[in-house]
Amino acid sequence: MKVNGSVESLDVEPWVSLLDALRERLGLTGPKKGCDQGACGACTVLADGMRINSCLALAVQYDGREITTIEGVAHPLQEAFVRHDGFQCGYCTSGQICSAIGMLAEHAAGMPSAVTGSGELSEAEVRERMSGNLCRCGAYNGIVDAIMDVAGKDPR
């Protein structure tokens, strides 16, 4: 698989999660093991540009695919998270940023959500689309503001 632009050859058992392969075999500690059940989003990475919960994915499924972790991201969202205080402890931040990048791409591609109406990216739309990423510190307002800022919308 290609991880953050580098081709990586891994010999893993079929039951090894992508998260464990990234963290334990490649030493990439950005994706976090939060709940290990796909409920918190701390492990979110991009697979061929689409966001996935790496704790629920088997590493062998991603042979030949492009995986991007926070370590491989260079995106305006990173600065916006700092500017809008979109993190507190930082544990969920890497998953939040990877998810937001994927979410913005989904919206741009016209993929609907439960809130989709006019097609405009609204605060409600961002909140719905990011609902799979939990922040135990409650930095949601800063996260939404950062995403809206990068999307060219006026944050609160």
Side-chain angles (χ1 to χ4, degrees):
M1 76 180 72
K2 194 172 188 181
V3 180
N4 298 329
S6 297
V7 175
E8 300 290 346
S9 180
L10 296 174
D11 185 20
V12 297
E13 296 81 6
W15 55 83
V16 173
S17 72
L18 179 58
L19 175 61
D20 287 342
L22 293 169
R23 290 183 60 81
E24 296 169 12
R25 310 287 172 94
L26 297 177
L28 298 169
T29 58
K32 303 291 190 277
K33 191 175 278 195
C35 66
D36 210 22
Q37 298 175 350
C40 74
C43 67
T44 304
V45 299
L46 300 169
D48 296 329
M50 297 191 69
R51 58 189 172 155
I52 63 164
N53 290 335
S54 62
C55 73
L56 296 180
L58 296 174
V60 296
Q61 292 175 285
Y62 290 87
D63 186 29
R65 308 270 302 270
E66 172 74 35
I67 305 299
T68 305
T69 68
I70 192 66
E71 289 91 344
V73 167
H75 196 281
L77 274 166
Q78 292 162 299
E79 189 176 300
F81 264 64
V82 172
R83 192 170 48 253
H84 292 282
D85 197 25
F87 63 93
Q88 288 180 20
C89 79
Y91 193 83
C92 73
T93 306
S94 60
Q96 294 277 1
I97 290 172
C98 285
S99 187
I101 292 168
M103 180 273 300
L104 288 170
E106 291 165 9
H107 182 266
M111 293 175 71
S113 79
V115 175
T116 301
S118 67
E120 289 293 317
L121 192 63
S122 65
E123 183 179 318
E125 183 79 17
V126 169
R127 288 183 183 280
E128 169 62 25
R129 289 178 183 263
M130 292 294 292
S131 64
N133 289 80
L134 303 179
C135 173
R136 287 161 181 88
C137 298
Y140 295 114
N141 291 336
I143 291 167
V144 171
D145 288 350
I147 294 168
M148 295 295 283
D149 184 6
V150 169
K153 307 293 180 185
D154 186 26
R156 286 177 258 143

